Amino acid sequence: MSEEFSNENQVVEYFQKLQQEYNAMAQNLARIELEIRDHTSVLSALSELNEDRKCYRLVGGVLVERTVKEVIPAVSTNKENLESSEERLKKDLEDKEMEIAAFKTKYKIRFKNEPIQQEEQGERKTSGGGVLA
């Protein structure tokens, strides 16, 4: 965020880029959360089955026949990896949110439907305007 901008269009473009990055991260987080739910559901279904029962697992686009006993540890490991990815992504998402908020504050960005804050109204009378996104 150490960039300096020569005009309002550059500020708006950079702000939109930050928002797009945030949205992409949020979509990725939603996808990971869905996969964790799927893994949890599979684990609960497999835990009720006999360990020697055949089951099929999709590995790299290939359906592989295994036993429940062999599949449970692999699915558990995948779930744990997804959960750690989820935690990292949540932290990154919070950092990006803070970066966006700081950028909005620095360049006095507000959306068209956002009301002007009282303290900003006083500042606006004495200083130049902010950027309207």
Side-chain angles (χ1 to χ4, degrees):
M1 205 170 71
S2 62
E3 297 184 34
E4 292 299 320
F5 304 100
S6 60
N7 62 38
E8 286 184 7
N9 287 337
Q10 290 177 341
V11 173
V12 170
E13 285 175 15
Y14 188 77
F15 181 70
Q16 289 173 342
K17 179 182 158 243
L18 288 175
Q19 286 183 310
Q20 288 171 350
E21 290 171 1
Y22 179 86
N23 290 337
M25 292 169 72
Q27 287 176 348
N28 197 15
L29 179 62
R31 182 188 56 79
I32 288 174
E33 288 173 342
L34 180 63
E35 286 186 35
I36 290 172
R37 270 187 299 215
D38 289 345
H39 280 68
T40 303
S41 175
V42 167
L43 285 171
S44 68
L46 289 176
S47 67
E48 299 171 4
L49 300 176
N50 182 354
E51 288 184 343
D52 296 328
R53 184 171 176 167
K54 289 181 188 177
C55 68
Y56 296 90
R57 182 168 180 244
L58 190 63
V59 178
V62 177
L63 205 54
V64 180
E65 182 180 316
R66 299 277 187 238
T67 63
V68 171
K69 184 179 180 178
E70 295 170 328
V71 171
I72 287 178
V75 174
S76 294
T77 302
N78 285 350
K79 182 182 171 202
E80 290 169 6
N81 290 340
L82 286 169
E83 287 171 340
S84 67
S85 295
E86 176 190 32
E87 291 304 314
R88 272 195 316 273
L89 196 53
K90 280 183 179 179
K91 184 189 178 311
D92 292 347
L93 204 58
E94 288 174 10
D95 293 344
K96 184 60 73 175
E97 200 170 301
M98 290 172 41
E99 181 182 358
I100 289 172
F103 192 81
K104 275 182 76 172
T105 303
K106 179 178 179 181
Y107 289 99
K108 299 176 185 167
I109 297 173
R110 68 178 181 85
F111 294 101
K112 290 179 182 176
N113 59 353
E114 284 182 1
I116 298 174
Q117 300 295 328
Q118 281 298 85
E119 58 191 49
E120 288 179 0
Q121 285 178 345
E123 291 176 18
R124 185 169 292 259
K125 291 177 185 173
T126 58
S127 67
V131 177
L132 189 62

